[in-house]
Amino acid sequence: MSFDNFYAELHEKLKNVVPEPEIQIKAEIAWEINKLKAEKNAVILGHNYMEAALFHSIPDHVGDSLGLSRIAAQTDKDIILFCGVRFMAETAKILNPEKTVLLPAKKAGCSLAESITAQDVRNLRKKFPGVPVVTYVNTYADVKAESDICCTSGNAKAVVESFKSDTIIFLPDEYLAGNVARETGKHIIFPTRKSVADDTLLDAQMIGWHGRCEVHEQFSVKDIQDIRAQYPDVAILAHPECSPEVVAASDYANSTQAMIRYVEETNAPQYLILTECAMGDNIAAANPEKEMLRLCRVRCPHMNEITLEDTLDSLQNDRYIIEVPEEIRVRAVKAVQRMIEIG
Ligand code: 13P
Ligand code: SF4
C-alpha cells in the first residue's frame, strides 16, 4: 500500500474524532512504525484504551486483556510490542520467555497492580489455608506467581464458578470482586491490609482486597441518574471495575471488548460507556452512525503514556525490554495458562 492510500484510509476512520493536521502527523509516524515492524518481524498488540490515531493505525491485533493474552500466547513473531500497560506486557513475557517483549513506556503502571504485593498474597494464604486464590490479570508477575489462577473482566465469573470450593480469595479489585459476588450470589469479606489476622471467615464465600481502578472508581450512580433523566432510552454500559452500585444501575457490564460488541449490536437511540475515555473515541470512529453520549472525565494516566512517538522509539531502540525472573515466571505461567483456557 502507498502512503497516500494509508493516509486516506486512516483519515476516513478518524475524521470525526481527530483534527486533520494531527491525522497527517500521526499517519507519518504510524507509516514508519509499520515499515519497521515488518523489517524486525514484530507484532503490535493494542489495548482498546489506546488513543484513537494509534489504535486505528499500527496494531496487528486490538482487544481486551483476555483476547490479547490469547493472541500473545500464539504469536510466531520474534518481537511482541505491547501498546498497553506494564502488567499486560509482563503477561505476554510470562507466556513467551524466548521472545523480546517491548513496552513503549518505562513505567505505564496501574493502580490495581500497585495495590497488592506478593507478600500480601502469602499472608492471606497463611490466614486462610487451603482457600484457592484468584488474581485479576491487572497485577504484577510476582503476585500472579502466588496465585492459583488469574482472571480478566471478561471471564472473572466463569473463573470463580470453575472452583468447587465454597470459598475463594479474589484479588485485588474490591469492585470487581463485589460485582462477581453479586453475579454468583456469593458473600464477600475484606480483610484489612494490616490485620489480616483479625478477620474471621463467618459465612463469607469470597475474600477480597482493597484495590481500585483510579479511573473507574470515579463514576457514580448520580452520573447515571442525570443521564437517564435527560435521555430515558439510553443504553448504559459500565466496565466491571466500576462500583457494584454503578454496575447495578447500568444496563450492561463486561470487558472492554464485550462493550464494543454491545455498541455494534445495540438498537438503542443513544449509548453511554462508563470507562476510560480514549475507548469512547475508538468506538465513535468505528460506529459513526450511532449516537454516543460522553461522560469523559479522565484518561487512564498509565495508558496515556503510550504514544505513537514512543512506540517508534521503542521499535528503533528495543526499549523498554520486559523481563520476568525465571523462578517467578515458571510459577506465574500456570495461573495465566489456566486463565486463557476459561471463558
Ligand atoms: P479489559 O480486560 O476489559 O480490557 O480491561 C482492562 C483494564 O485495565 C480496564 O481498566
Ligand atoms: Fe489500571 Fe484502571 Fe488504567 Fe485499567 S484503567 S490500566 S485498571 S488504572
Side-chain angles (χ1 to χ4, degrees), residues 161-290:
E161 287 179 339
S162 73
F163 282 93
K164 293 208 172 62
S165 160
D166 270 353
T167 305
I168 61 155
I169 296 171
F170 188 100
L171 308 169
D173 186 345
E174 120 176 43
Y175 285 164
L176 181 63
N179 286 317
V180 173
R182 195 170 143 256
E183 273 190 287
T184 53
K186 290 181 185 289
H187 303 278
I188 184 163
I189 61 160
F190 291 97
T192 53
R193 191 186 291 255
K194 286 198 185 75
S195 61
V196 172
D198 295 343
D199 295 286
T200 53
L201 264 183
L202 303 174
D203 65 344
Q205 293 162 302
M206 278 175 77
I207 298 154
W209 194 249
H210 295 286
R212 285 192 192 173
C213 165
E214 67 193 89
V215 175
H216 291 94
E217 71 174 347
Q218 299 193 35
F219 297 111
S220 70
V221 173
K222 178 154 186 328
D223 293 332
I224 295 179
Q225 288 164 344
D226 290 348
I227 293 280
R228 286 209 198 276
Q230 212 180 337
Y231 302 94
D233 298 320
V234 63
I236 300 186
L237 290 65
H239 194 277
E241 290 167 10
C242 295
S243 74
E245 294 74 24
V246 164
V247 166
S250 303
D251 298 301
Y252 182 72
N254 209 325
S255 76
T256 54
Q257 197 59 38
M259 285 197 275
I260 289 171
R261 268 197 307 273
Y262 185 105
V263 172
E264 282 163 4
E265 289 164 13
T266 187
N267 292 320
Q270 304 91 17
Y271 67 92
L272 170 77
I273 51 168
L274 301 178
T275 192
E276 207 276 344
C277 54
M279 193 169 108
D281 290 337
N282 296 335
I283 295 183
N287 299 274
E289 75 294 352
K290 304 205 171 179

Side-chain angles (χ1 to χ4, degrees), residues 47 49 64-66 87-88 136 138 152-153 216 239 241 255-256 303:
H47 186 261
Y49 289 166
D64 60 13
S65 311
L66 186 59
F87 74 79
M88 296 177 177
Y136 195 27
N138 296 37
T152 73
S153 58
H216 291 94
H239 194 277
E241 290 167 10
S255 76
T256 54
M303 293 282 182

Side-chain angles (χ1 to χ4, degrees), residues 116 121 124 133-136 139 143 169-173 207-209:
I116 191 159
V121 186
L124 285 165
V133 176
V134 176
T135 298
Y136 195 27
T139 46
V143 168
I169 296 171
F170 188 100
L171 308 169
D173 186 345
I207 298 154
W209 194 249

Side-chain angles (χ1 to χ4, degrees), residues 2-41:
S2 68
F3 175 76
D4 287 348
N5 288 345
F6 175 72
Y7 175 77
E9 276 184 19
L10 192 60
H11 181 267
E12 188 53 32
K13 281 185 206 146
L14 297 178
K15 64 182 182 208
N16 296 324
V17 293
V18 180
E20 180 102 27
E22 197 178 321
I23 300 177
Q24 180 69 39
I25 294 167
K26 301 250 165 127
E28 285 167 17
I29 303 171
W31 180 253
E32 285 305 309
I33 291 172
N34 287 339
K35 269 199 306 192
L36 202 51
K37 175 174 74 173
E39 281 166 29
K40 296 189 85 163
N41 195 30

